[in-house]
Amino acid sequence: MATRKARIIAVVNEKGGVGKTVTVINLGAGLSLEGKDVLVVDMDPQFNATRGLGVSLGQDSPSVYDVIKLPEPVPARSAIVKTAWEHLDLLPSHVDLSGVEVELVNEPGRENRLKEALTPVLDLYDFIVVDTPPSLSILTVNVLAFASEILVPCQTQPYAYSALDELLETISIIKEEMNPDIRILGVLATFFDQRTRVSNKILESLRRDGRFQDKLFKTVIRINTTVAESAYYGKPVVFFRPSSTGAADYLALTEEILS
Ligand SMILES: Nc1ncnc2c1ncn2[C@@H]1O[C@H](COP(=O)(O)OP(=O)(O)OP(=O)(O)O)[C@@H](O)[C@H]1O
Ligand SMILES: [Mg+2]
């Protein structure tokens, strides 16, 4: 078998609650349904992606924290768990991850911890999809140093859009200083509500914006209560209720990324 090397898609937006985690777990699930081997990496100490994939860690189970910590990190393979679904693995998060910023502060190469840890598993997967916290901490910098592509969810709600400037600036710094090959895969309009003028207006201005016209995904993620409900049950919506608009939108996004 030819060796493969995973495409690494980081889902990033410093703004909270824009649909990062839901996008990570449903894109991961969608890709796995297409027969791709997928690893979801949860780099957020809130561990919502871990919960959203129905995983609860035992007291002594290793997490991504143990994989990137210093000294004596554990190999990524020993912390990766299988989810309930075929082709879909998870490197879970843990609240301890919130201490990493302080713990690694004097460590040289601290922004490359995730990359170093996951390089040995790159050929096991077709896709690695990474969730990030809503901040520009050392955790997000580790993700940006490791990723090949960035997906930016943007709420079609007031103010969401203006926060993108800062993010684009951050990405250009990362590109210059540590990861020259990183590129924006796309901007994803989320929380779209057809009935509201503001949602339509923001979608329209995203479509017209010169900075990422060609980067805006054709797929738009609509508001759908089933999405939030499925998270509560620890299942991606594409598995929880395949007939929902939430599932349809995320499967369309998967298709768009694969085509
Ligand atoms: N399309 C949608 N329709 C309805 N609810 C949604 C949708 N997408 C996400 N949600 C809900 O909105 C909330 C925020 O979504 P999510 O957790 O994915 O955002 P986030 O960007 O990861 O947030 P944080 O920055 O806190 O990590 C969650 O309760 C989620 O279930
Ligand atoms: Mg999240």
Side-chain angles (χ1 to χ4, degrees):
M1 207 176 76
T3 53
R4 57 179 167 182
K5 200 162 174 260
R7 277 174 69 178
I8 307 161
I9 302 176
V11 178
V12 185
N13 190 333
E14 290 155 61
K15 198 169 153 46
V18 297
K20 291 183 289 296
T21 301
V22 160
T23 299
V24 165
I25 65 177
N26 285 291
L27 175 59
L31 290 166
S32 76
L33 274 172
E34 294 287 337
K36 304 295 179 189
D37 288 315
V38 180
L39 174 67
V40 167
V41 177
D42 188 354
M43 273 291 268
D44 185 351
Q46 298 178 97
F47 62 97
N48 291 335
T50 300
R51 279 189 280 219
L53 287 171
V55 172
S56 59
L57 279 194
Q59 193 92 69
D60 301 318
S61 314
S63 70
V64 70
Y65 167 73
D66 302 278
V67 165
I68 66 169
K69 72 172 185 187
L70 287 171
E72 292 172 38
V74 306
R77 270 172 213 250
S78 67
I80 291 172
V81 295
K82 296 214 164 297
T83 67
W85 303 278
E86 227 186 331
H87 302 297
L88 187 57
D89 290 355
L90 169 71
L91 178 52
S93 174
H94 189 278
V95 284
D96 283 353
L97 197 55
S98 59
V100 159
E101 184 97 45
V102 175
E103 291 173 31
L104 292 182
V105 73
N106 290 320
E107 300 287 347
R110 63 183 180 278
E111 56 287 306
N112 284 313
R113 295 299 306 131
L114 187 67
K115 184 177 178 176
E116 262 172 48
L118 292 189
T119 298
V121 302
L122 287 184
D123 59 351
L124 301 180
Y125 297 99
D126 299 305
F127 286 89
I128 297 182
V129 188
V130 193
D131 196 15
T132 59
S135 64
L136 191 63
S137 65
I138 188 74
L139 296 171
T140 304
V141 172
N142 262 268
V143 175
L144 293 174
F146 170 56
S148 49
E149 298 159 75
I150 304 172
L151 188 159
V152 184
C154 178
Q155 269 191 339
T156 47
Q157 301 291 331
Y159 312 118
Y161 174 50
S162 53
L164 288 184
D165 273 335
E166 209 183 325
L167 182 62
L168 293 176
E169 173 70 21
T170 303
I171 293 168
S172 77
I173 294 171
I174 297 279
K175 201 172 158 79
E176 225 163 81
E177 297 189 355
M178 55 172 98
N179 188 355
D181 298 328
I182 198 165
R183 66 179 190 100
I184 297 182
L185 173 63
V187 174
L188 177 66
T190 57
F191 289 85
F192 181 68
D193 185 351
Q194 174 67 48
R195 295 162 306 177
T196 66
R197 266 172 57 130
V198 65
S199 236
N200 280 293
K201 272 198 128 113
I202 292 175
L203 184 59
E204 198 47 46
S205 46
L206 277 171
R207 283 192 171 129
R208 285 219 204 96
D209 194 307
R211 294 169 304 171
F212 34 71
Q213 257 172 6
D214 56 329
K215 295 283 186 192
L216 188 70
F217 286 107
K218 288 194 187 68
T219 306
V220 172
I221 308 297
R222 291 166 285 181
I223 286 193
N224 176 219
T225 51
T226 315
V227 168
E229 194 190 349
S230 66
Y232 176 79
Y233 288 101
K235 288 183 181 170
V237 72
V238 301
F239 296 133
F240 178 74
R241 195 154 305 148
S243 60
S244 63
T245 57
D249 291 347
Y250 276 107
L251 292 176
L253 175 68
T254 305
E255 291 301 319
E256 193 174 343
I257 288 175
L258 286 176
S259 68

